[in-house]
Amino acid sequence: MELKTVNIDIPEGLNIIIGQSHFIKTVEDMYEILIGSSSSLKFGIAFSEASGPCLVRYEGNDEALMKLAYETSLSISCGHTFVIFLKDGFPINVLNAIKACQEVCHIICATANPLQVIVAETGQGRGIIGVIDGSKPRGIEDEEDKKARRELLRKFRYKL
């Protein structure tokens, strides 16, 4: 077995969701979930098949995000995984609906941070072991940091 690190480029203003699913209809079901979540959400979805033709299937409502999703999915090259790029919305707005999708096994990450995917490769194929999401902690928040956190949540309109 060989371990590899795949660096994922997340352009400014975008978020990514990576997960594992088990069936070809994942792309269409995810499309319906995302298109129904917000009229302003832009997205691209890619799903890597693990059998048959082993293609990267893709959909979305934004050409650039679809291309980014299928290129990222191909760079990871792990069967039964999906990649979603979001613009004009956040993962928090769609994660519960995605997790409730009957094909979804689990969510691996949802982030806008610098991202590395740790992949194991064997003679059979590749699988995601985990991710490095952003940077390690530098300390404990103080009262000023708490105030800034609360203000940020209000700026994003997640709190009153």
Side-chain angles (χ1 to χ4, degrees):
M1 178 176 67
E2 184 179 347
L3 292 179
K4 299 180 181 208
T5 302
V6 180
N7 292 311
I8 306 299
D9 180 37
I10 305 172
E12 185 72 30
L14 300 184
N15 279 269
I16 189 172
I17 300 170
I18 299 175
Q20 187 172 29
S21 184
H22 74 92
F23 195 52
I24 191 173
K25 79 183 194 80
T26 297
V27 169
E28 291 180 13
D29 287 353
M30 294 276 187
Y31 179 91
E32 291 171 357
I33 288 166
L34 294 170
I35 203 75
S37 70
S38 167
S39 61
S40 63
L41 183 68
K42 301 290 184 234
F43 61 90
I45 311 157
F47 169 72
S48 295
E49 290 179 312
S51 61
C54 292
L55 298 174
V56 174
R57 307 292 183 162
Y58 68 97
E59 291 292 344
N61 65 356
D62 182 283
E63 290 293 329
L65 296 179
M66 287 189 287
K67 183 178 186 216
L68 193 56
Y70 68 66
E71 287 175 346
T72 300
S73 187
L74 192 58
S75 74
I76 296 169
S77 288
C78 294
H80 279 170
T81 59
F82 63 86
V83 173
I84 302 170
F85 275 96
L86 303 174
K87 180 179 178 183
D88 299 331
F90 297 101
I92 193 171
N93 304 122
V94 297
L95 276 175
N96 281 339
I98 289 170
K99 288 186 266 185
C101 181
Q102 63 187 352
E103 300 93 59
V104 172
C105 301
H106 67 108
I107 302 295
I108 296 165
C109 69
T111 190
N113 294 328
L115 183 65
Q116 295 177 313
V117 178
I118 310 304
V119 173
E121 185 167 0
T122 68
Q124 178 176 313
R126 292 167 58 129
I128 296 175
I129 300 295
V131 297
I132 309 297
D133 182 348
S135 303
K136 67 180 185 176
R138 295 181 184 103
I140 306 296
E141 73 178 350
D142 59 21
E143 289 306 314
E144 188 175 314
D145 296 319
K146 285 183 180 186
K147 181 181 176 193
R149 171 175 42 92
R150 292 175 181 140
E151 288 173 0
L152 181 64
L153 290 173
R154 280 147 186 84
K155 176 183 172 189
F156 290 147
R157 298 184 180 166
Y158 284 112
K159 296 289 183 175
L160 293 174

